[in-house]
Amino acid sequence: MSATIDPNIWRARLPRAFAPSPLGRALRILGAAVFFTWFGFSLWWLDVTPQRIWNGLSGLGVILRLMIPPAPGELWLDILQGMAESVAMAFLGTFAAALVAVPLGFMGASNVVTATLLRFSIRRVFDGMRGVDQLIWALAYVRAVGLGPLAGVLAIFTADIAVLAKLYAEAIETAERRQVEGVTAAGGSRLAALRFGVLPQVLPLMLAQALYFFESNTRSATILGVVGAGGIGLQISERIRVRHWDEVAFIIIVMIVTVAVIDRVSAALRQRLIGR
């Protein structure tokens, strides 16, 4: 026979399982009020109105009609060259950032650098560099080294160092200590323990992350060209300026195909490195 369970007993023992407390209910109502107030204020502050949205959608519809059919135009070789420049910018910037981020990742890992103040300072430098967007770096380097792909390469390199270093540091912190202890027990130095005990464990993950950043930076490099950092972005901004929307559509198709090919190749390499 099953015993009868009095719900009042459980309600007395676990009141939050049946209904929120008056304080919890009040906090929920206050949170919802703050959210909707901020949401409404943001719409008013940014002048987001149905009329502006409708006008924007109407203008976008006109642009989309002008994009059909896509056409390469007479300077289609410049488009292909610009796309090649964007891919080269992404590759060089990511490759250089990945190389520099490896020692920085070791310096930011808690199981490598045990000095809390030093590690904390290095991590905060990473945070500060990550706070500056890639586009801001591109604007700064355009002023420093002039127009062209070099500014884009330096922008990608500078923006990716801190992010990759943080990811590498987190990967290094998850490494097994047994291999490190084995190298040390065999008479290896501290550097040898990192080289043969830690690096082989995290290297596949590091390479996979670098490949993902290369794929992502190929897309980012198209935007950097708009501010004068070379690549396909310069080609697309020039055609938008003169309203050659059919050529803009062709450039977008070239970008999509290029990114899709890089995505498939990177995904295959990542699977070979770290498995499915």
Side-chain angles (χ1 to χ4, degrees):
M1 296 178 62
S2 60
T4 303
I5 300 176
D6 188 358
N8 294 324
I9 297 177
W10 291 105
R11 184 177 288 108
R13 292 181 178 179
L14 304 171
R16 293 186 179 181
F18 292 87
S21 63
L23 178 60
R25 190 180 297 109
L27 290 176
R28 291 182 183 181
I29 294 174
L30 178 61
V34 171
F35 171 79
F36 285 109
T37 301
W38 174 249
F39 181 75
F41 175 74
S42 300
L43 292 177
W44 170 80
W45 189 22
L46 301 178
D47 194 21
V48 179
T49 61
Q51 182 64 32
R52 292 193 64 188
I53 294 175
W54 175 255
N55 292 338
L57 292 176
S58 300
L60 181 61
V62 173
I63 292 174
L64 292 176
R65 286 196 299 269
L66 294 175
M67 285 183 172
I68 301 173
E74 298 180 356
L75 302 177
W76 60 274
L77 284 176
D78 292 343
I79 295 175
L80 298 181
Q81 181 181 353
M83 192 69 246
E85 279 186 1
S86 293
V87 175
M89 286 163 52
F91 174 75
L92 290 176
T94 306
F95 179 73
L99 286 181
V100 177
V102 171
L104 293 178
F106 277 97
M107 294 173 62
S110 59
N111 56 343
V112 176
V113 177
T114 57
T116 305
L117 181 60
L118 176 60
R119 188 178 66 255
F120 177 82
S121 303
I122 294 173
R123 286 294 188 98
R124 299 294 75 78
V125 172
F126 294 167
D127 294 341
M129 293 182 66
R130 288 202 309 273
V132 181
D133 188 73
Q134 208 173 73
L135 196 60
I136 305 300
W137 288 115
L139 289 170
Y141 281 122
V142 166
R143 297 284 295 179
V145 302
L147 300 173
L150 178 59
V153 172
L154 294 174
I156 293 172
F157 167 73
T158 309
D160 283 1
I161 286 178
V163 183
L164 284 172
K166 181 179 183 297
L167 293 175
Y168 290 175
E170 292 175 351
I172 293 167
E173 289 175 347
T174 62
E176 288 286 342
R177 295 188 57 85
R178 297 176 184 176
Q179 298 186 27
V180 179
E181 293 172 354
V183 175
T184 305
S189 62
R190 176 69 172 171
L191 183 61
L194 297 177
R195 167 61 182 86
F196 298 103
V198 177
L199 188 60
Q201 297 185 58
V202 299
L203 186 59
L205 183 58
M206 288 180 172
L207 293 175
Q209 290 169 341
L211 285 172
Y212 174 77
F213 269 71
F214 169 55
E215 169 199 333
S216 176
N217 286 330
T218 304
R219 294 188 294 268
S220 301
T222 62
I223 305 300
L224 299 181
V226 176
V227 297
I232 194 65
L234 181 60
Q235 301 292 331
I236 197 172
S237 64
E238 289 177 351
R239 284 157 178 81
I240 289 176
R241 190 178 301 112
V242 296
R243 301 180 184 274
H244 288 174
W245 297 111
D246 53 344
E247 298 182 21
V248 171
F250 178 79
I251 295 175
I252 292 174
I253 293 174
V254 171
M255 291 165 51
I256 292 173
V257 172
T258 303
V259 172
V261 171
I262 294 175
D263 175 59
R264 293 301 299 269
V265 174
S266 298
L269 290 174
R270 286 197 300 269
Q271 289 180 1
R272 289 292 300 272
L273 291 170
I274 62 177
R276 294 182 180 274

